[in-house]
Amino acid sequence: AQSVTQLDSQVPVFEEAPVELRCNYSSSVSVYLFWYVQYPNQGLQLLLKYLSGSTLVKGINGFEAEFNKSQTSFHLRKPSVHISDTAEYFCAVSDRNFGNEKLTFGTGTRLTIIP
Amino acid sequence: EPEVTQTPSHQVTQMGQEVILRCVPISNHLYFYWYRQILGQKVEFLVSFYNNEISEKSEIFDDQFSVERPDGSNFTLKIRSTKLEDSAMYFCASSVQALAGSSYEQYFGPGTRLTVT
């Protein structure tokens, strides 16, 4: 069974400051990793994903994440945040077994940008 | 840009009643999913559906739940006899290909908020 841990439930950051949202996962098999963003009253939107290849992946809105297999982490970063980045961010994992496409989500991190 | 749509946006029902939540996935997608998010908790997988049958379901998806793709465009989630604990936001998602594909992505709808009183 897989699990995802997002240690920070809330992260306040000043506008134009950098941010890192932490994600650790646990799985007995190789995994695919995702970050989704949920803006207020909206559905989930994919920010970025790691399927294979380079461990540093770039996504939309200037976000990037690095897959670290030895630390079982997939932390999300942005060098300079904007007010519009205020949202809930979810890390998710899916195992590599074909036919098992369910996403297992973390509890989410609420990012609040302070003007 | 194509998107997943869900109706209604908010459904209020009494305990014991049946509800049907509707989703229209993106038209060329082949894989369909339902997730739910109880207020303040994480998003949880309910069921995946491919080729007109369930491919996987979670422990939450008991006999009270069923899914159907009645007409080739809609994808529905039915709860036969709702309980208070079924109150949650229900998300539909779809993907064009299986997880092994390099373009793999699950596209989510905006959700239906179900309130059971």
Side-chain angles (χ1 to χ4, degrees):
Chain A
Q2 303 145 340
S3 66
V4 177
T5 302
Q6 292 182 248
L7 288 170
D8 307 304
S9 59
Q10 296 188 56
V11 173
V13 180
F14 286 103
E15 196 173 11
E16 297 183 10
V19 68
E20 179 179 84
L21 305 183
R22 296 180 292 170
C23 172
N24 288 89
Y25 68 91
S26 172
S27 177
S28 57
V29 298
S30 295
V31 297
Y32 297 116
L33 293 154
F34 307 83
W35 275 98
Y36 279 83
V37 60
Q38 185 179 28
Y39 297 105
N41 301 314
Q42 294 188 28
L44 298 164
Q45 181 183 6
L46 183 68
L47 269 181
L48 48 77
K49 61 190 175 190
Y50 172 77
L51 302 183
S52 64
S54 173
T55 56
L56 182 64
V57 292
K58 295 189 184 298
I60 61 171
N61 302 340
F63 284 94
E64 64 180 32
E66 184 153 21
F67 170 55
N68 188 319
K69 188 175 180 180
S70 62
Q71 297 187 5
T72 59
S73 67
F74 191 54
H75 300 331
L76 180 71
R77 301 189 196 98
K78 186 170 181 178
S80 176
V81 296
H82 303 285
I83 290 286
S84 59
D85 293 323
T86 295
E88 187 99 22
Y89 292 80
F90 293 94
C91 182
V93 64
S94 187
D95 75 40
R96 287 178 174 259
N97 292 327
F98 180 78
N100 184 4
E101 294 97 11
K102 72 174 185 182
L103 294 175
T104 300
F105 286 86
T107 49
T109 297
R110 183 171 300 279
L111 177 62
T112 302
I113 308 304
I114 305 164
Chain B
E1 186 177 330
E3 57 184 18
V4 177
T5 58
Q6 291 185 243
T7 53
S9 57
H10 191 188
Q11 173 90 47
V12 182
T13 188
Q14 288 190 326
M15 196 167 52
Q17 295 296 304
E18 174 183 287
V19 293
I20 297 176
L21 310 183
R22 301 181 193 280
C23 168
V24 179
I26 296 173
S27 61
N28 63 333
H29 285 191
L30 302 175
Y31 298 81
F32 313 108
Y33 315 85
W34 283 101
Y35 293 82
R36 79 173 186 189
Q37 184 182 27
I38 295 172
L39 190 63
Q41 298 186 25
K42 62 183 176 181
V43 177
E44 299 173 289
F45 169 80
L46 291 178
V47 65
S48 58
F49 190 86
Y50 169 70
N51 200 25
N52 280 322
E53 58 184 30
I54 290 173
S55 47
E56 187 178 2
K57 59 184 181 180
S58 72
E59 292 174 354
I60 303 167
F61 194 88
D62 61 23
D63 292 344
Q64 292 300 311
F65 291 87
S66 62
V67 289
E68 195 177 32
R69 189 156 160 79
D71 55 14
S73 62
N74 289 283
F75 179 51
T76 61
L77 174 69
K78 182 194 289 186
I79 309 175
R80 262 181 271 283
S81 177
T82 50
K83 307 183 190 70
L84 293 176
E85 54 265 36
D86 293 327
S87 294
M89 181 74 89
Y90 288 79
F91 293 105
C92 173
S94 68
S95 63
V96 67
Q97 60 187 162
L99 189 54
S102 61
S103 299
Y104 180 77
E105 176 179 345
Q106 287 188 25
Y107 291 80
F108 282 76
T112 293
R113 181 165 298 284
L114 176 64
T115 302
V116 182
T117 61

